[in-house]
Amino acid sequence: MKPRNMMNYRQIIRSVADVFFPRICPVCHSVLNSNERYVCIGCIDDIPVTHLHREPFNQVEQLLAGKVRIHRASSLFYYTKTCAYAAILHDIKYRNAPLFAKWITMKLSRELLDEGFFDGIDVIVPIPLHESKFAKRGYNQSEYIAKGISEITGIIAKTAIVADVPHSTQTHKHRHERWENTKDIFSVKNPDDIAGKHVLIVDDVITTGATITSAALEIERCGAAKISVLSLALAQL
Protein backbone atom coordinates (compact mmCIF):
# COMPACT_ATOMS: atom_id res chain seq x y z
CA MET A 1 0.00 0.00 0.00
CA LYS A 2 1.33 3.46 -0.92
CA PRO A 3 1.89 5.92 1.94
CA ARG A 4 -0.94 8.44 2.30
CA ASN A 5 1.42 11.41 2.04
CA MET A 6 2.83 10.03 -1.23
CA MET A 7 -0.71 9.81 -2.68
CA ASN A 8 -1.50 13.35 -1.51
CA TYR A 9 1.73 14.65 -3.01
CA ARG A 10 0.90 13.12 -6.38
CA GLN A 11 -2.61 14.54 -6.27
CA ILE A 12 -1.19 18.01 -5.60
CA ILE A 13 1.26 17.67 -8.50
CA ARG A 14 -1.55 16.56 -10.82
CA SER A 15 -3.81 19.39 -9.73
CA VAL A 16 -1.08 21.97 -10.34
CA ALA A 17 -0.26 20.43 -13.71
CA ASP A 18 -3.95 20.52 -14.67
CA VAL A 19 -4.00 24.27 -14.06
CA PHE A 20 -1.06 25.05 -16.35
CA PHE A 21 -1.41 22.13 -18.79
CA PRO A 22 -5.08 21.17 -18.78
CA ARG A 23 -5.93 17.71 -20.07
CA ILE A 24 -8.70 17.65 -22.65
CA CYS A 25 -11.29 14.96 -23.34
CA PRO A 26 -10.67 13.86 -26.95
CA VAL A 27 -14.39 13.24 -27.51
CA CYS A 28 -16.12 16.43 -26.29
CA HIS A 29 -13.02 18.63 -25.77
CA SER A 30 -13.99 19.59 -22.22
CA VAL A 31 -11.25 20.01 -19.61
CA LEU A 32 -10.76 16.86 -17.53
CA ASN A 33 -10.83 17.18 -13.78
CA SER A 34 -8.30 15.52 -11.47
CA ASN A 35 -10.50 12.44 -11.06
CA GLU A 36 -10.89 11.81 -14.79
CA ARG A 37 -8.43 9.82 -16.89
CA TYR A 38 -8.14 10.29 -20.68
CA VAL A 39 -11.93 10.67 -21.26
CA CYS A 40 -14.51 12.60 -19.24
CA ILE A 41 -17.06 10.66 -17.23
CA GLY A 42 -19.94 11.79 -19.44
CA CYS A 43 -18.31 10.59 -22.65
CA ILE A 44 -17.18 7.27 -21.21
CA ASP A 45 -20.74 6.67 -19.97
CA ASP A 46 -22.13 7.43 -23.45
CA ILE A 47 -19.58 5.45 -25.48
CA PRO A 48 -21.46 3.26 -27.99
CA VAL A 49 -20.67 -0.17 -26.53
CA THR A 50 -21.67 -3.07 -28.76
CA HIS A 51 -22.77 -5.83 -26.33
CA LEU A 52 -22.06 -8.14 -29.28
CA HIS A 53 -20.82 -10.91 -27.00
CA ARG A 54 -24.47 -11.42 -26.03
CA GLU A 55 -25.65 -11.95 -29.61
CA PRO A 56 -25.54 -15.32 -31.42
CA PHE A 57 -23.76 -15.09 -34.78
CA ASN A 58 -23.07 -11.41 -34.22
CA GLN A 59 -21.68 -8.85 -36.64
CA VAL A 60 -18.00 -9.72 -36.05
CA GLU A 61 -18.68 -13.44 -36.38
CA GLN A 62 -20.50 -12.76 -39.66
CA LEU A 63 -17.47 -10.89 -41.04
CA LEU A 64 -15.25 -13.91 -40.34
CA ALA A 65 -17.73 -16.66 -41.27
CA GLY A 66 -16.60 -18.98 -44.05
CA LYS A 67 -13.03 -17.69 -43.88
CA VAL A 68 -11.72 -19.09 -40.61
CA ARG A 69 -13.19 -21.08 -37.72
CA ILE A 70 -13.90 -18.80 -34.79
CA HIS A 71 -15.13 -19.96 -31.38
CA ARG A 72 -16.44 -16.54 -30.28
CA ALA A 73 -15.88 -12.93 -31.33
CA SER A 74 -16.80 -9.42 -30.25
CA SER A 75 -15.79 -5.76 -30.27
CA LEU A 76 -16.07 -3.32 -27.39
CA PHE A 77 -17.49 -0.20 -29.07
CA TYR A 78 -18.76 1.01 -32.43
CA TYR A 79 -17.22 3.88 -34.35
CA THR A 80 -17.36 5.64 -37.69
CA LYS A 81 -14.72 7.90 -39.21
CA THR A 82 -16.82 10.98 -38.54
CA CYS A 83 -18.09 10.21 -35.04
CA ALA A 84 -16.56 11.94 -32.02
CA TYR A 85 -15.37 8.63 -30.57
CA ALA A 86 -13.02 8.10 -33.50
CA ALA A 87 -10.74 10.54 -31.64
CA ILE A 88 -10.05 7.84 -29.05
CA LEU A 89 -8.61 5.54 -31.70
CA HIS A 90 -6.67 8.40 -33.28
CA ASP A 91 -5.07 9.29 -29.95
CA ILE A 92 -4.19 5.68 -29.20
CA LYS A 93 -2.72 5.05 -32.61
CA TYR A 94 -1.03 8.29 -33.59
CA ARG A 95 -0.59 10.49 -30.51
CA ASN A 96 1.72 8.36 -28.40
CA ALA A 97 -0.97 7.22 -25.96
CA PRO A 98 -0.53 3.45 -25.55
CA LEU A 99 -1.58 3.55 -21.88
CA PHE A 100 -4.87 5.08 -23.03
CA ALA A 101 -5.46 1.84 -24.98
CA LYS A 102 -4.82 -0.27 -21.88
CA TRP A 103 -7.01 1.91 -19.67
CA ILE A 104 -10.08 1.98 -21.92
CA THR A 105 -9.78 -1.73 -22.70
CA MET A 106 -9.80 -2.54 -18.98
CA LYS A 107 -12.81 -0.28 -18.46
CA LEU A 108 -14.89 -1.71 -21.31
CA SER A 109 -13.86 -5.37 -20.91
CA ARG A 110 -15.22 -5.86 -17.40
CA GLU A 111 -18.71 -6.57 -18.72
CA LEU A 112 -17.30 -9.35 -20.92
CA LEU A 113 -15.36 -10.73 -17.97
CA ASP A 114 -18.45 -10.82 -15.78
CA GLU A 115 -20.49 -12.50 -18.53
CA GLY A 116 -17.99 -15.27 -19.33
CA PHE A 117 -16.52 -14.15 -22.65
CA PHE A 118 -12.97 -14.94 -21.50
CA ASP A 119 -13.79 -18.33 -19.98
CA GLY A 120 -11.51 -21.11 -21.24
CA ILE A 121 -9.07 -18.81 -23.07
CA ASP A 122 -5.44 -19.83 -22.51
CA VAL A 123 -3.44 -17.06 -24.16
CA ILE A 124 -3.95 -13.58 -25.64
CA VAL A 125 -2.18 -12.79 -28.93
CA PRO A 126 -2.13 -9.17 -30.17
CA ILE A 127 -1.98 -8.40 -33.88
CA PRO A 128 1.65 -7.33 -34.47
CA LEU A 129 3.10 -4.38 -36.33
CA HIS A 130 5.84 -4.84 -38.88
CA GLU A 131 9.20 -3.78 -37.44
CA SER A 132 9.37 -0.75 -39.75
CA LYS A 133 6.03 0.58 -38.53
CA PHE A 134 6.90 -0.26 -34.92
CA ALA A 135 10.16 1.70 -35.24
CA LYS A 136 8.26 4.71 -36.53
CA ARG A 137 5.45 4.62 -33.94
CA GLY A 138 7.47 3.30 -31.00
CA TYR A 139 4.77 0.94 -29.72
CA ASN A 140 2.07 -1.47 -30.85
CA GLN A 141 -1.34 -0.32 -29.64
CA SER A 142 -2.72 -3.86 -29.89
CA GLU A 143 -0.16 -5.03 -27.34
CA TYR A 144 -1.54 -2.51 -24.87
CA ILE A 145 -5.08 -3.68 -25.57
CA ALA A 146 -3.85 -7.21 -24.81
CA LYS A 147 -2.21 -5.93 -21.61
CA GLY A 148 -5.49 -4.38 -20.53
CA ILE A 149 -7.32 -7.68 -20.98
CA SER A 150 -4.52 -9.55 -19.24
CA GLU A 151 -4.68 -7.15 -16.31
CA ILE A 152 -8.32 -7.90 -15.52
CA THR A 153 -8.38 -11.60 -16.49
CA GLY A 154 -4.97 -12.91 -15.45
CA ILE A 155 -4.58 -14.52 -18.88
CA ILE A 156 -1.03 -14.23 -20.23
CA ALA A 157 -0.47 -12.13 -23.35
CA LYS A 158 2.16 -13.47 -25.76
CA THR A 159 3.85 -12.03 -28.83
CA ALA A 160 3.31 -15.28 -30.70
CA ILE A 161 3.06 -13.93 -34.23
CA VAL A 162 5.08 -11.45 -36.26
CA ALA A 163 4.29 -9.34 -39.33
CA ASP A 164 6.68 -10.44 -42.06
CA VAL A 165 5.41 -8.02 -44.69
CA PRO A 166 5.04 -4.24 -44.15
CA HIS A 167 1.48 -3.86 -45.44
CA SER A 168 0.30 -0.33 -46.08
CA THR A 169 -2.48 1.35 -44.12
CA GLN A 170 -6.00 -0.02 -44.59
CA THR A 171 -7.74 3.31 -44.01
CA HIS A 172 -8.48 4.32 -47.61
CA LYS A 173 -8.73 0.84 -49.16
CA HIS A 174 -11.86 -0.83 -50.48
CA ARG A 175 -12.95 -4.25 -49.20
CA HIS A 176 -11.13 -6.32 -51.87
CA GLU A 177 -7.98 -4.22 -51.50
CA ARG A 178 -8.00 -4.81 -47.73
CA TRP A 179 -8.05 -8.57 -48.26
CA GLU A 180 -5.24 -8.43 -50.81
CA ASN A 181 -3.24 -6.14 -48.52
CA THR A 182 -3.25 -8.66 -45.65
CA LYS A 183 -2.73 -12.00 -47.42
CA ASP A 184 0.14 -14.08 -46.01
CA ILE A 185 1.66 -11.25 -44.00
CA PHE A 186 1.95 -13.03 -40.63
CA SER A 187 3.92 -15.97 -39.30
CA VAL A 188 4.02 -17.73 -35.94
CA LYS A 189 7.34 -17.28 -34.19
CA ASN A 190 6.53 -19.25 -31.03
CA PRO A 191 4.34 -22.27 -31.97
CA ASP A 192 4.51 -23.68 -28.43
CA ASP A 193 2.64 -20.60 -27.18
CA ILE A 194 -0.45 -21.53 -29.19
CA ALA A 195 -0.35 -25.25 -30.01
CA GLY A 196 -3.36 -27.01 -28.51
CA LYS A 197 -4.58 -23.82 -26.82
CA HIS A 198 -7.59 -21.54 -26.98
CA VAL A 199 -6.15 -18.32 -28.42
CA LEU A 200 -7.74 -14.89 -28.17
CA ILE A 201 -6.57 -12.60 -31.01
CA VAL A 202 -6.91 -8.89 -30.22
CA ASP A 203 -6.63 -5.78 -32.38
CA ASP A 204 -7.58 -2.12 -32.17
CA VAL A 205 -10.17 -2.01 -34.97
CA ILE A 206 -12.05 -4.52 -37.08
CA THR A 207 -13.37 -3.19 -40.38
CA THR A 208 -13.70 -6.01 -42.93
CA GLY A 209 -11.99 -8.66 -40.79
CA ALA A 210 -9.15 -9.09 -43.30
CA THR A 211 -6.28 -8.58 -40.84
CA ILE A 212 -7.81 -10.80 -38.16
CA THR A 213 -8.53 -13.53 -40.71
CA SER A 214 -4.96 -13.54 -42.00
CA ALA A 215 -3.59 -13.89 -38.46
CA ALA A 216 -6.18 -16.48 -37.45
CA LEU A 217 -5.45 -18.71 -40.44
CA GLU A 218 -1.76 -18.80 -39.56
CA ILE A 219 -2.49 -19.46 -35.87
CA GLU A 220 -4.90 -22.23 -36.85
CA ARG A 221 -2.31 -23.75 -39.18
CA CYS A 222 0.17 -23.89 -36.31
CA GLY A 223 -2.09 -25.96 -34.12
CA ALA A 224 -4.36 -23.73 -32.02
CA ALA A 225 -7.26 -25.74 -30.64
CA LYS A 226 -9.71 -22.80 -30.67
CA ILE A 227 -9.55 -19.19 -31.79
CA SER A 228 -11.58 -16.29 -30.45
CA VAL A 229 -11.41 -12.62 -31.43
CA LEU A 230 -11.82 -9.30 -29.67
CA SER A 231 -11.20 -5.77 -30.90
CA LEU A 232 -11.41 -2.46 -29.13
CA ALA A 233 -13.61 -0.99 -31.87
CA LEU A 234 -15.81 -2.16 -34.74
CA ALA A 235 -16.00 0.13 -37.75
CA GLN A 236 -19.43 0.91 -39.15
CA LEU A 237 -18.93 1.37 -42.88
Side-chain angles (χ1 to χ4, degrees), residues 36-217:
E36 294 174 324
R37 294 281 304 277
Y38 301 110
V39 180
C40 73
I41 291 172
C43 287
I44 203 68
D45 285 346
D46 290 340
I47 193 168
V49 294
T50 71
H51 304 298
L52 286 175
H53 62 287
R54 300 174 181 172
E55 298 181 16
F57 198 48
N58 64 48
Q59 191 174 346
V60 179
E61 292 168 347
Q62 290 173 36
L63 285 172
L64 304 174
K67 304 177 184 74
V68 64
R69 290 181 297 172
I70 296 297
H71 184 65
R72 63 179 78 111
S74 190
S75 296
L76 297 177
F77 73 91
Y78 292 114
Y79 97 105
T80 65
K81 290 181 184 178
T82 57
C83 80
Y85 286 94
I88 291 175
L89 298 168
H90 192 272
D91 279 6
I92 287 169
K93 206 166 187 175
Y94 302 116
R95 292 185 177 172
N96 194 29
L99 292 177
F100 188 179
K102 180 181 177 182
W103 176 83
I104 197 167
T105 298
M106 291 174 64
K107 203 161 190 68
L108 299 181
S109 293
R110 293 190 185 280
E111 177 183 88
L112 279 70
L113 176 64
D114 293 342
E115 297 181 17
F117 180 86
F118 301 109
D119 291 356
I121 290 170
D122 300 303
V123 63
I124 305 165
V125 174
I127 291 291
L129 291 180
H130 186 264
E131 58 184 11
S132 61
K133 188 172 285 188
F134 185 92
K136 182 177 180 180
R137 187 173 299 166
Y139 62 93
N140 176 6
Q141 67 278 3
S142 294
E143 288 183 1
Y144 283 84
I145 293 168
K147 288 177 181 178
I149 298 168
S150 182
E151 184 82 15
I152 66 169
T153 63
I155 302 169
I156 295 172
K158 295 275 191 177
T159 308
I161 56 175
V162 295
D164 297 316
V165 180
H167 68 290
S168 56
T169 180
Q170 299 275 70
T171 304
H172 303 294
K173 288 181 168 57
H174 298 296
R175 184 176 295 270
H176 176 71
E177 292 173 323
R178 288 173 184 265
W179 285 99
E180 289 298 315
N181 193 42
T182 56
K183 285 175 62 176
D184 304 319
I185 64 171
F186 300 115
S187 64
V188 172
K189 72 171 186 177
N190 295 312
D192 290 344
D193 288 341
I194 62 174
K197 295 180 179 178
H198 185 174
V199 177
L200 176 66
I201 304 174
V202 300
D203 203 3
D204 55 349
V205 180
I206 292 176
T207 304
T208 63
T211 301
I212 289 287
T213 296
S214 182
L217 287 171

